[in-house]
């Protein structure tokens, strides 16, 4: 994880912003220091003198053979979150990927926006303001992800073929969506400390790779940061985006399955703990 966390921390110490990678640590709230530390996940007993340091973390307890996660810490609030996460992930996994949005959500976030008010003011728009607006006007906007749609400009919202809301997220989330697949990282760290660090790290790595495509396909000129554009304003660029989107959907599928299985295991463990305490 230091491949991402250490450069981020160096940039932050210098007061430098990165328009692509900062998102992984600002939009997502998991601390870099927590991302770097290892944790076993449920069903593992840590033995030896080094295991005692885990008792300094919340969620661990001493057991006869060493140290393990404390099932009692997986209370009703965590169980409610795990049920909600599992329901969303299962609904998403049950749908076929849609690969026809072409990343227009980033364009819709600057549509008809005055130049000084765009989200990344330090970056020029590749096609300028009027050229960016023309792309949005010429293509159908099909964003079904609420956490992208809520950042659309007022002028762009009516152009979207869907009207996603938090309450309809479970009905609209689909496995071809870049943001739905990046959010696997969020659902993983929401289960902390009950998520194995290997699964958390795999979800973060996927999110980092997707974020690069997300911004390469955006209207911004990122040449100064070493990123070539995916020119979705052209048929060739849209085809390139859809191929990459399909590959990310393929990579995300087993991670989604692992998260669903983890939620199920945690909920089953929690139910057994409640049964034991009732007895």
């Amino acid at each position: 994880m230091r491949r991402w966390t250490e450069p981020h921390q160096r940039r932050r110490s210098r007061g430098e912003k990165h328009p692509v990678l900062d998102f992984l640590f600002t939009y997502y709230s998991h601390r870099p220091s927590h991302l770097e530390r290892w944790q076993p996940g449920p069903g593992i007993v840590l033995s030896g003198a080094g295991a005692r340091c885990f008792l300094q973390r919340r969620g661990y307890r001493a057991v006869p053979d060493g140290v393990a996660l404390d099932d009692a810490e997986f209370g009703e609030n965590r169980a409610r979150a795990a049920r909600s996460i599992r329901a969303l992930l299962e609904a998403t996994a049950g749908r076929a990927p849609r690969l026809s949005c072409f990343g227009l959500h980033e364009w819709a976030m600057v549509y008809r926006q005055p130049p000084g008010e765009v989200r990344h003011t330090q970056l020029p728009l590749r096609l300028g303001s009027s050229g960016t607006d023309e792309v949005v006007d010429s293509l159908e906007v099909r964003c079904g992800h609420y956490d992208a749609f809520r950042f659309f400009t007022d002028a762009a919202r009516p152009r979207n073929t869907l009207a996603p809301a938090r309450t309809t997220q479970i009905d609209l989330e689909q496995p071809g969506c870049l943001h739905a697949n990046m959010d696997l990282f969020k659902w993983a760290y929401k289960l902390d400390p009950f998520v194995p660090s290997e699964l958390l790290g795999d979800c973060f790595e996927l999110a980092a790779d997707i974020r690069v495509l997300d911004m390469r396909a955006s209207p911004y000129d990122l040449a100064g940061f070493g990123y070539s554009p995916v020119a979705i304003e052209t048929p060739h660029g849209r085809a390139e985006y859809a191929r990459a989107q399909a590959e990310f959907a393929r990579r995300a599928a087993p991670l989604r399955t692992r998260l669903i299985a983890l939620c199920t295991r945690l909920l089953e463990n929690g139910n057994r703990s409640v049964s034991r305490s009732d007895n």
Side-chain angles (χ1 to χ4, degrees):
M1 292 298 100
R2 292 193 180 109
R3 169 184 166 190
W4 293 279
T5 58
E6 289 184 347
H8 171 73
Q9 289 163 336
R10 287 194 295 268
R11 287 192 301 270
R12 188 171 60 179
S13 69
R14 296 191 296 262
E16 296 176 3
K17 293 184 177 181
H18 195 291
V20 178
L21 302 178
D22 283 354
F23 177 86
L24 301 167
F25 303 100
T26 54
Y27 177 79
Y28 295 114
S29 58
H30 201 55
R31 296 178 182 176
S33 59
H34 289 187
L35 192 61
E36 291 174 353
R37 71 186 187 185
W38 183 83
Q39 58 196 34
I44 303 294
V45 176
L46 303 174
S47 62
R52 304 296 297 178
C53 68
F54 280 81
L55 294 176
Q56 299 171 20
R57 301 188 195 176
R58 183 175 179 181
Y60 290 87
R61 66 185 179 95
V63 297
D65 296 325
V67 175
L69 280 166
D70 185 355
D71 290 343
E73 286 284 327
F74 192 79
E76 181 51 37
N77 287 342
R78 291 184 186 274
R80 190 181 304 113
R83 284 191 291 269
S84 177
I85 291 168
R86 182 175 65 177
L88 177 63
L89 297 181
E90 286 179 335
T92 305
R95 300 187 178 106
R98 294 196 306 271
L99 308 175
S100 57
C101 70
F102 306 125
L104 279 168
H105 55 275
E106 286 288 342
W107 298 68
M109 293 177 192
V110 300
Y111 179 67
R112 296 188 180 176
Q113 192 87 318
E117 296 179 16
V118 298
R119 297 187 68 203
H120 298 287
T121 55
Q122 77 275 32
L123 296 174
L125 297 173
R126 287 194 296 109
L127 306 179
S129 295
S130 61
T132 299
D133 294 346
E134 288 172 10
V135 171
V136 178
D137 288 333
S138 66
L139 297 172
E140 188 175 55
V141 185
R142 307 185 186 102
C143 180
H145 194 272
Y146 172 69
D147 283 315
F149 177 70
R150 66 191 177 98
F151 292 108
F152 280 24
T153 65
D154 290 341
R157 284 174 173 267
R159 300 195 60 82
N160 201 28
T161 59
L162 299 168
R166 183 69 69 203
T167 54
T168 60
Q169 186 173 10
I170 195 169
D171 302 314
L172 295 178
E173 206 97 316
Q174 56 91 13
C177 173
L178 293 192
H179 280 265
N181 292 330
M182 279 195 285
D183 280 352
L184 293 176
F185 170 55
K186 176 172 66 175
W187 305 131
Y189 72 69
K190 291 286 188 184
L191 300 170
D192 187 79
F194 293 89
V195 58
S197 58
E198 290 84 0
L199 176 54
L200 180 69
D202 287 346
C203 291
F204 180 86
E205 183 174 22
L206 177 67
D209 290 346
I210 291 175
R211 176 61 179 171
V212 171
L213 174 65
D214 194 34
M215 289 301 287
R216 287 180 61 216
S218 78
Y220 297 105
D221 185 347
L222 292 158
F225 289 85
Y227 298 103
S228 60
V230 176
I232 59 94
E233 66 273 18
T234 69
H236 176 79
R238 292 194 290 276
E240 180 183 358
Y241 183 91
R243 285 194 299 270
Q245 194 177 17
E247 174 60 17
F248 284 130
R250 183 195 67 77
R251 285 177 55 185
L255 298 181
R256 190 171 283 110
T257 298
R258 287 163 64 186
L259 282 169
I260 291 169
L262 176 63
C263 288
T264 298
R265 179 175 186 173
L266 292 173
L267 289 166
E268 290 174 349
N269 288 350
N271 288 337
R272 284 197 293 270
S273 295
V274 170
S275 297
R276 285 196 297 269
S277 63
D278 289 345
N279 293 336

